[in-house]
Amino acid sequence: MSPAIAVPAIAILEISNAGMDPRVDYLGSMVQGILAFDIGSRNDLTLVDRRNLDAVLKEKELSLSALGQDADAAAQAGRLAGADWLLSGEYVFLGSDVLLTLSLTEAATAKRVVFRDRGPNENLVHKLAEQVVLRLTGQVASFADPGRARSL
């Protein structure tokens, strides 16, 4: 019998509005939802239940926004919640485009990898999700669909 292959567990943290324009606060939740849908559709990745993460954060008196900035705190919370990786991010509108930066933090080491791109529609998020999946699994994913590009 061959040994079981470990499936990386990932927790999606807050995607914050770096431009601080309250008119676009909705975008953080939208990006989180797209990332969760894309990553959750993979059998080679596991999404950590957000309720588990929230419970750990409440117990340790940490906030999601603090984890996005502090790699060591993010790693500690990830380990406690059972996540191998934590994905956080921020966005800012640049004219008609959105600049989206995602930070993938490894819970074991607190090492962080950053993915950044800009674009006018949801395919921006899908393309970054593809990069995250490639980094975590070594497998190419295809989430973006140029024919179904809803604007952000």
Side-chain angles (χ1 to χ4, degrees), residues 79-150:
R79 288 189 299 270
L80 292 170
D84 302 307
W85 297 90
L86 295 108
L87 187 63
S88 60
E90 63 183 29
Y91 62 91
V92 64
F93 271 86
L94 301 171
S96 62
D97 280 358
V98 174
L99 174 64
L100 179 59
T101 303
L102 296 178
S103 297
L104 184 66
T105 304
E106 186 176 16
T109 64
K111 289 184 181 174
R112 190 170 268 184
V113 178
V114 176
F115 304 91
R116 179 177 293 125
D117 203 352
R118 68 185 280 177
N121 58 51
E122 69 182 37
N123 281 327
L124 164 68
V125 184
H126 293 306
K127 288 176 187 174
L128 288 172
E130 291 169 358
Q131 292 178 37
V132 169
V133 168
L134 180 62
R135 174 68 174 81
L136 293 177
T137 68
Q139 301 296 312
V140 174
S142 181
F143 302 127
D145 182 352
R148 294 185 318 142
R150 292 183 295 228

Side-chain angles (χ1 to χ4, degrees), residues 69-80:
Q69 304 303 316
D70 183 347
D72 290 323
Q76 176 190 15
R79 288 189 299 270
L80 292 170

